[in-house]
Amino acid sequence: MITVNAMGDNCPIPVIKTKKAMQEITGPETIEVLVDNEIAVQNVTKMAVSSGGNVTSEKLGEKEFKVTIQMNGAVAKEAGEEAVCTPDRKGDTIVVIASDKMGSGNDELGKVLIKGFIFAVTQLEELPKAMIFYNGGATLTAEGSDSLEDLKSLEAQGVEILTCGTCLNYYGLTDKLEVGSVTNMYTIVEKMAEAGKIIQP
């Protein structure tokens, strides 16, 4: 395990430090990068993915984020994107998820599809501004969900993760929320009304 401390560093320093650590490894290795802002998470993530890394990220606290990069081996010196500062990747799209399944037909297949959908959101060039979960979708942000790693990665990159409080209470999950924050119907309506585009799987 290699730890890169880029807390307090302005762009492009976190990317440069991470790239240097990646180029020094000789075999399979895990690199943890600590940064203090969402834009740094986005920039480090983009560079690491372009270099062949498997990347996840997590918000540890206010202005405290961890990006974990799994590398299979050494990286070519010229690999990866240049250490540049890119603007915030978030647009004004809202993703609304109302079920723990995607589509109708086979429930088991539906659960596989919704997990794949959430992972696909993490790969978008322009991330959504927020993701809202209600009714059965509320279970996806709670303990036991297969999508927690992907949702925590999105949250670390600045995507607002909101779950209906009434729904959590109905399913007995009020104390089991694992990512994002609890919201109410007024905020859900407000967010959807302000959105430039709404995606609902």
Side-chain angles (χ1 to χ4, degrees):
M1 172 80 73
I2 298 172
T3 300
V4 175
N5 188 347
M7 296 289 287
D9 291 336
N10 294 322
C11 186
I13 303 301
V15 174
I16 293 171
K17 283 184 174 180
T18 305
K19 195 169 185 179
K20 184 177 179 183
M22 290 169 64
Q23 290 173 342
E24 289 176 353
I25 65 174
T26 57
E29 186 62 85
T30 300
I31 302 171
E32 281 190 353
V33 186
L34 303 175
V35 295
D36 62 7
N37 65 88
E38 296 158 355
I39 306 300
V41 175
Q42 293 178 18
N43 286 324
V44 169
T45 297
K46 190 173 182 182
M47 184 277 296
V49 168
S50 74
S51 299
N54 183 15
V55 185
T56 58
S57 50
E58 187 174 353
K59 184 176 183 178
L60 303 178
E62 191 66 30
K63 294 189 177 180
E64 187 178 359
F65 305 87
K66 178 176 72 176
V67 181
T68 303
I69 306 164
Q70 300 276 357
M71 296 299 298
N72 292 322
V75 181
K77 294 289 183 183
E78 66 277 5
E81 300 206 1
E82 289 302 309
V84 295
C85 298
T86 58
D88 194 344
R89 289 175 59 204
K90 300 192 305 299
D92 64 351
T93 297
I94 301 286
V95 175
V96 178
I97 298 180
S99 173
D100 62 347
K101 297 176 284 291
M102 184 175 182
S104 57
N106 183 283
D107 287 353
E108 188 176 340
L109 174 59
K111 290 186 177 184
V112 171
L113 293 176
I114 198 67
K115 184 178 187 300
F117 174 86
I118 292 172
F119 171 74
V121 172
T122 70
Q123 304 301 301
L124 289 174
E125 185 63 31
E126 183 178 86
L127 299 174
K129 182 177 182 180
M131 295 181 73
I132 300 173
F133 296 81
Y134 57 82
N135 208 326
T139 63
L140 296 172
T141 58
E143 184 181 302
S145 167
D146 290 335
S147 294
L148 290 178
E149 190 175 271
D150 290 332
L151 291 173
K152 287 180 179 179
S153 191
L154 287 164
E155 181 183 41
Q157 295 183 73
V159 178
E160 193 174 12
I161 308 294
L162 299 169
T163 305
C164 164
T166 302
C167 308
L168 288 170
N169 184 57
Y170 181 85
Y171 288 110
L173 298 171
T174 304
D175 299 324
K176 296 183 178 180
L177 185 67
E178 292 286 323
V179 59
S181 57
V182 178
T183 191
N184 54 57
M185 191 54 68
Y186 178 81
T187 301
I188 290 173
V189 171
E190 189 175 55
K191 295 281 185 184
M192 292 174 71
E194 293 172 351
K197 180 167 60 177
I198 295 174
I199 297 174
Q200 183 169 7

PDB file of all heavy atoms in Angstrom, residues 5 10 13 28 30 34-35 41-42 50 52 60 76 95 103 107 110-111 122 139-140 142 147 158 163 166 178:
ATOM      1  N   ASN A   5      -0.195  11.763   0.226  1.00  0.00           N
ATOM      2  CA  ASN A   5      -0.883  12.815   0.977  1.00  0.00           C
ATOM      3  C   ASN A   5      -0.857  14.106   0.170  1.00  0.00           C
ATOM      4  O   ASN A   5       0.170  14.759   0.038  1.00  0.00           O
ATOM      5  CB  ASN A   5      -0.211  13.029   2.333  1.00  0.00           C
ATOM      6  CG  ASN A   5      -1.011  13.976   3.221  1.00  0.00           C
ATOM      7  OD1 ASN A   5      -1.925  14.660   2.756  1.00  0.00           O
ATOM      8  ND2 ASN A   5      -0.678  14.025   4.495  1.00  0.00           N
ATOM      9  N   ASN A  10      -3.018  22.373  -4.152  1.00  0.00           N
ATOM     10  CA  ASN A  10      -3.843  22.874  -5.252  1.00  0.00           C
ATOM     11  C   ASN A  10      -3.531  22.116  -6.531  1.00  0.00           C
ATOM     12  O   ASN A  10      -2.423  21.617  -6.722  1.00  0.00           O
ATOM     13  CB  ASN A  10      -3.591  24.375  -5.468  1.00  0.00           C
ATOM     14  CG  ASN A  10      -4.057  25.210  -4.289  1.00  0.00           C
ATOM     15  OD1 ASN A  10      -5.083  24.926  -3.691  1.00  0.00           O
ATOM     16  ND2 ASN A  10      -3.298  26.240  -3.948  1.00  0.00           N
ATOM     17  N   ILE A  13      -1.105  19.629  -8.373  1.00  0.00           N
ATOM     18  CA  ILE A  13      -0.188  18.886  -7.507  1.00  0.00           C
ATOM     19  C   ILE A  13      -0.701  17.492  -7.131  1.00  0.00           C
ATOM     20  O   ILE A  13       0.065  16.521  -7.205  1.00  0.00           O
ATOM     21  CB  ILE A  13       0.154  19.709  -6.237  1.00  0.00           C
ATOM     22  CG1 ILE A  13       0.744  21.071  -6.624  1.00  0.00           C
ATOM     23  CG2 ILE A  13       1.129  18.948  -5.358  1.00  0.00           C
ATOM     24  CD1 ILE A  13       2.000  20.995  -7.459  1.00  0.00           C
ATOM     25  N   PRO A  28       1.780  -5.342  -9.058  1.00  0.00           N
ATOM     26  CA  PRO A  28       0.453  -5.007  -8.541  1.00  0.00           C
ATOM     27  C   PRO A  28       0.563  -4.221  -7.232  1.00  0.00           C
ATOM     28  O   PRO A  28       1.335  -4.590  -6.352  1.00  0.00           O
ATOM     29  CB  PRO A  28      -0.197  -6.378  -8.313  1.00  0.00           C
ATOM     30  CG  PRO A  28       0.510  -7.282  -9.273  1.00  0.00           C
ATOM     31  CD  PRO A  28       1.928  -6.789  -9.316  1.00  0.00           C
ATOM     32  N   THR A  30      -1.603  -1.122  -4.518  1.00  0.00           N
ATOM     33  CA  THR A  30      -2.728  -0.251  -4.185  1.00  0.00           C
ATOM     34  C   THR A  30      -2.191   1.097  -3.749  1.00  0.00           C
ATOM     35  O   THR A  30      -1.291   1.171  -2.899  1.00  0.00           O
ATOM     36  CB  THR A  30      -3.582  -0.862  -3.048  1.00  0.00           C
ATOM     37  OG1 THR A  30      -4.091  -2.126  -3.479  1.00  0.00           O
ATOM     38  CG2 THR A  30      -4.754   0.057  -2.709  1.00  0.00           C
ATOM     39  N   LEU A  34      -4.959  10.974  -0.590  1.00  0.00           N
ATOM     40  CA  LEU A  34      -5.775  11.789   0.306  1.00  0.00           C
ATOM     41  C   LEU A  34      -5.809  13.225  -0.212  1.00  0.00           C
ATOM     42  O   LEU A  34      -4.753  13.833  -0.427  1.00  0.00           O
ATOM     43  CB  LEU A  34      -5.192  11.755   1.727  1.00  0.00           C
ATOM     44  CG  LEU A  34      -5.052  10.366   2.351  1.00  0.00           C
ATOM     45  CD1 LEU A  34      -4.356  10.460   3.708  1.00  0.00           C
ATOM     46  CD2 LEU A  34      -6.405   9.675   2.487  1.00  0.00           C
ATOM     47  N   VAL A  35      -7.006  13.750  -0.432  1.00  0.00           N
ATOM     48  CA  VAL A  35      -7.170  15.114  -0.938  1.00  0.00           C
ATOM     49  C   VAL A  35      -8.271  15.818  -0.141  1.00  0.00           C
ATOM     50  O   VAL A  35      -9.001  15.174   0.623  1.00  0.00           O
ATOM     51  CB  VAL A  35      -7.522  15.131  -2.446  1.00  0.00           C
ATOM     52  CG1 VAL A  35      -6.381  14.577  -3.274  1.00  0.00           C
ATOM     53  CG2 VAL A  35      -8.797  14.337  -2.716  1.00  0.00           C
ATOM     54  N   VAL A  41     -10.509  14.988  -6.462  1.00  0.00           N
ATOM     55  CA  VAL A  41     -10.968  13.599  -6.603  1.00  0.00           C
ATOM     56  C   VAL A  41     -11.259  13.304  -8.076  1.00  0.00           C
ATOM     57  O   VAL A  41     -10.836  12.283  -8.617  1.00  0.00           O
ATOM     58  CB  VAL A  41     -12.229  13.328  -5.751  1.00  0.00           C
ATOM     59  CG1 VAL A  41     -12.763  11.915  -6.018  1.00  0.00           C
ATOM     60  CG2 VAL A  41     -11.935  13.485  -4.273  1.00  0.00           C
ATOM     61  N   GLN A  42     -11.969  14.216  -8.731  1.00  0.00           N
ATOM     62  CA  GLN A  42     -12.319  14.031 -10.143  1.00  0.00           C
ATOM     63  C   GLN A  42     -11.070  13.956 -11.021  1.00  0.00           C
ATOM     64  O   GLN A  42     -10.959  13.084 -11.890  1.00  0.00           O
ATOM     65  CB  GLN A  42     -13.220  15.183 -10.612  1.00  0.00           C
ATOM     66  CG  GLN A  42     -14.591  15.200  -9.960  1.00  0.00           C
ATOM     67  CD  GLN A  42     -15.421  16.389 -10.413  1.00  0.00           C
ATOM     68  OE1 GLN A  42     -15.133  17.026 -11.429  1.00  0.00           O
ATOM     69  NE2 GLN A  42     -16.466  16.709  -9.660  1.00  0.00           N
ATOM     70  N   SER A  50      -7.350   6.553 -16.880  1.00  0.00           N
ATOM     71  CA  SER A  50      -6.706   6.602 -18.197  1.00  0.00           C
ATOM     72  C   SER A  50      -5.378   5.851 -18.196  1.00  0.00           C
ATOM     73  O   SER A  50      -4.864   5.475 -19.241  1.00  0.00           O
ATOM     74  CB  SER A  50      -6.485   8.053 -18.636  1.00  0.00           C
ATOM     75  OG  SER A  50      -5.428   8.646 -17.918  1.00  0.00           O
ATOM     76  N   GLY A  52      -5.061   2.971 -16.614  1.00  0.00           N
ATOM     77  CA  GLY A  52      -5.365   1.557 -16.419  1.00  0.00           C
ATOM     78  C   GLY A  52      -5.681   1.150 -14.994  1.00  0.00           C
ATOM     79  O   GLY A  52      -5.762  -0.035 -14.688  1.00  0.00           O
ATOM     80  N   LEU A  60     -14.508  10.986   3.408  1.00  0.00           N
ATOM     81  CA  LEU A  60     -14.232  10.596   4.791  1.00  0.00           C
ATOM     82  C   LEU A  60     -14.785  11.604   5.781  1.00  0.00           C
ATOM     83  O   LEU A  60     -15.090  11.272   6.925  1.00  0.00           O
ATOM     84  CB  LEU A  60     -12.725  10.444   5.006  1.00  0.00           C
ATOM     85  CG  LEU A  60     -12.003   9.441   4.089  1.00  0.00           C
ATOM     86  CD1 LEU A  60     -10.510   9.446   4.386  1.00  0.00           C
ATOM     87  CD2 LEU A  60     -12.576   8.045   4.253  1.00  0.00           C
ATOM     88  N   ALA A  76       3.614   2.851 -17.949  1.00  0.00           N
ATOM     89  CA  ALA A  76       4.576   3.491 -18.845  1.00  0.00           C
ATOM     90  C   ALA A  76       4.702   4.970 -18.493  1.00  0.00           C
ATOM     91  O   ALA A  76       3.728   5.610 -18.101  1.00  0.00           O
ATOM     92  CB  ALA A  76       4.130   3.325 -20.294  1.00  0.00           C
ATOM     93  N   VAL A  95     -30.445  12.275 -11.498  1.00  0.00           N
ATOM     94  CA  VAL A  95     -30.825  10.871 -11.690  1.00  0.00           C
ATOM     95  C   VAL A  95     -31.793  10.500 -10.565  1.00  0.00           C
ATOM     96  O   VAL A  95     -31.490  10.695  -9.389  1.00  0.00           O
ATOM     97  CB  VAL A  95     -29.599   9.942 -11.671  1.00  0.00           C
ATOM     98  CG1 VAL A  95     -30.038   8.477 -11.759  1.00  0.00           C
ATOM     99  CG2 VAL A  95     -28.654  10.271 -12.823  1.00  0.00           C
ATOM    100  N   GLY A 103     -36.375  -1.890 -14.757  1.00  0.00           N
ATOM    101  CA  GLY A 103     -37.264  -2.548 -15.708  1.00  0.00           C
ATOM    102  C   GLY A 103     -38.218  -3.520 -15.040  1.00  0.00           C
ATOM    103  O   GLY A 103     -38.204  -3.707 -13.825  1.00  0.00           O
ATOM    104  N   ASP A 107     -37.209 -10.144 -11.540  1.00  0.00           N
ATOM    105  CA  ASP A 107     -36.696  -9.304 -10.449  1.00  0.00           C
ATOM    106  C   ASP A 107     -35.191  -9.467 -10.247  1.00  0.00           C
ATOM    107  O   ASP A 107     -34.478  -8.498  -9.980  1.00  0.00           O
ATOM    108  CB  ASP A 107     -37.427  -9.631  -9.144  1.00  0.00           C
ATOM    109  CG  ASP A 107     -38.853  -9.088  -9.139  1.00  0.00           C
ATOM    110  OD1 ASP A 107     -39.193  -8.353 -10.085  1.00  0.00           O
ATOM    111  OD2 ASP A 107     -39.603  -9.414  -8.207  1.00  0.00           O
ATOM    112  N   GLY A 110     -33.524  -7.604 -12.849  1.00  0.00           N
ATOM    113  CA  GLY A 110     -33.705  -6.181 -12.582  1.00  0.00           C
ATOM    114  C   GLY A 110     -32.699  -5.645 -11.586  1.00  0.00           C
ATOM    115  O   GLY A 110     -32.204  -4.523 -11.724  1.00  0.00           O
ATOM    116  N   LYS A 111     -32.347  -6.447 -10.568  1.00  0.00           N
ATOM    117  CA  LYS A 111     -31.367  -6.025  -9.564  1.00  0.00           C
ATOM    118  C   LYS A 111     -29.966  -5.967 -10.149  1.00  0.00           C
ATOM    119  O   LYS A 111     -29.167  -5.097  -9.801  1.00  0.00           O
ATOM    120  CB  LYS A 111     -31.422  -6.958  -8.356  1.00  0.00           C
ATOM    121  CG  LYS A 111     -32.690  -6.786  -7.543  1.00  0.00           C
ATOM    122  CD  LYS A 111     -32.683  -7.614  -6.263  1.00  0.00           C
ATOM    123  CE  LYS A 111     -33.943  -7.336  -5.449  1.00  0.00           C
ATOM    124  NZ  LYS A 111     -33.934  -8.042  -4.158  1.00  0.00           N
ATOM    125  N   THR A 122     -21.072   6.223 -12.822  1.00  0.00           N
ATOM    126  CA  THR A 122     -19.723   6.613 -12.364  1.00  0.00           C
ATOM    127  C   THR A 122     -18.767   6.829 -13.534  1.00  0.00           C
ATOM    128  O   THR A 122     -17.753   7.509 -13.383  1.00  0.00           O
ATOM    129  CB  THR A 122     -19.103   5.560 -11.415  1.00  0.00           C
ATOM    130  OG1 THR A 122     -18.775   4.370 -12.156  1.00  0.00           O
ATOM    131  CG2 THR A 122     -20.037   5.208 -10.284  1.00  0.00           C
ATOM    132  N   THR A 139     -33.496   1.510  -0.632  1.00  0.00           N
ATOM    133  CA  THR A 139     -32.688   0.395  -0.123  1.00  0.00           C
ATOM    134  C   THR A 139     -31.282   0.387  -0.728  1.00  0.00           C
ATOM    135  O   THR A 139     -30.376  -0.219  -0.171  1.00  0.00           O
ATOM    136  CB  THR A 139     -33.365  -0.960  -0.429  1.00  0.00           C
ATOM    137  OG1 THR A 139     -33.460  -1.142  -1.848  1.00  0.00           O
ATOM    138  CG2 THR A 139     -34.768  -1.014   0.170  1.00  0.00           C
ATOM    139  N   LEU A 140     -31.093   1.068  -1.853  1.00  0.00           N
ATOM    140  CA  LEU A 140     -29.800   1.057  -2.541  1.00  0.00           C
ATOM    141  C   LEU A 140     -28.741   1.904  -1.841  1.00  0.00           C
ATOM    142  O   LEU A 140     -27.545   1.746  -2.092  1.00  0.00           O
ATOM    143  CB  LEU A 140     -29.970   1.543  -3.982  1.00  0.00           C
ATOM    144  CG  LEU A 140     -30.857   0.659  -4.877  1.00  0.00           C
ATOM    145  CD1 LEU A 140     -31.116   1.334  -6.209  1.00  0.00           C
ATOM    146  CD2 LEU A 140     -30.206  -0.708  -5.088  1.00  0.00           C
ATOM    147  N   ALA A 142     -28.662   2.088   1.537  1.00  0.00           N
ATOM    148  CA  ALA A 142     -28.618   1.589   2.909  1.00  0.00           C
ATOM    149  C   ALA A 142     -27.710   0.371   3.044  1.00  0.00           C
ATOM    150  O   ALA A 142     -27.257  -0.209   2.048  1.00  0.00           O
ATOM    151  CB  ALA A 142     -30.025   1.244   3.388  1.00  0.00           C
ATOM    152  N   SER A 147     -24.439  -1.521  -4.269  1.00  0.00           N
ATOM    153  CA  SER A 147     -24.010  -0.325  -5.005  1.00  0.00           C
ATOM    154  C   SER A 147     -23.337   0.728  -4.133  1.00  0.00           C
ATOM    155  O   SER A 147     -23.032   1.822  -4.605  1.00  0.00           O
ATOM    156  CB  SER A 147     -25.212   0.306  -5.720  1.00  0.00           C
ATOM    157  OG  SER A 147     -25.709  -0.549  -6.719  1.00  0.00           O
ATOM    158  N   GLY A 158     -18.516  14.822  -5.691  1.00  0.00           N
ATOM    159  CA  GLY A 158     -19.394  15.972  -5.611  1.00  0.00           C
ATOM    160  C   GLY A 158     -20.834  15.743  -5.990  1.00  0.00           C
ATOM    161  O   GLY A 158     -21.639  16.685  -5.994  1.00  0.00           O
ATOM    162  N   THR A 163     -31.688  10.556  -0.142  1.00  0.00           N
ATOM    163  CA  THR A 163     -32.643   9.455   0.029  1.00  0.00           C
ATOM    164  C   THR A 163     -33.859   9.930   0.820  1.00  0.00           C
ATOM    165  O   THR A 163     -33.717  10.611   1.845  1.00  0.00           O
ATOM    166  CB  THR A 163     -31.983   8.265   0.755  1.00  0.00           C
ATOM    167  OG1 THR A 163     -30.813   7.869   0.046  1.00  0.00           O
ATOM    168  CG2 THR A 163     -32.937   7.075   0.826  1.00  0.00           C
ATOM    169  N   THR A 166     -38.987   9.438   4.508  1.00  0.00           N
ATOM    170  CA  THR A 166     -40.222   8.680   4.721  1.00  0.00           C
ATOM    171  C   THR A 166     -40.050   7.242   4.245  1.00  0.00           C
ATOM    172  O   THR A 166     -40.525   6.290   4.880  1.00  0.00           O
ATOM    173  CB  THR A 166     -41.401   9.336   3.965  1.00  0.00           C
ATOM    174  OG1 THR A 166     -41.552  10.682   4.415  1.00  0.00           O
ATOM    175  CG2 THR A 166     -42.702   8.568   4.183  1.00  0.00           C
ATOM    176  N   GLU A 178     -26.095   4.445   4.523  1.00  0.00           N
ATOM    177  CA  GLU A 178     -24.640   4.314   4.441  1.00  0.00           C
ATOM    178  C   GLU A 178     -23.965   5.390   3.593  1.00  0.00           C
ATOM    179  O   GLU A 178     -22.757   5.569   3.662  1.00  0.00           O
ATOM    180  CB  GLU A 178     -24.275   2.928   3.869  1.00  0.00           C
ATOM    181  CG  GLU A 178     -24.598   1.762   4.782  1.00  0.00           C
ATOM    182  CD  GLU A 178     -23.630   1.647   5.946  1.00  0.00           C
ATOM    183  OE1 GLU A 178     -22.430   1.920   5.747  1.00  0.00           O
ATOM    184  OE2 GLU A 178     -24.077   1.308   7.051  1.00  0.00           O
TER     185      GLU A 178
END
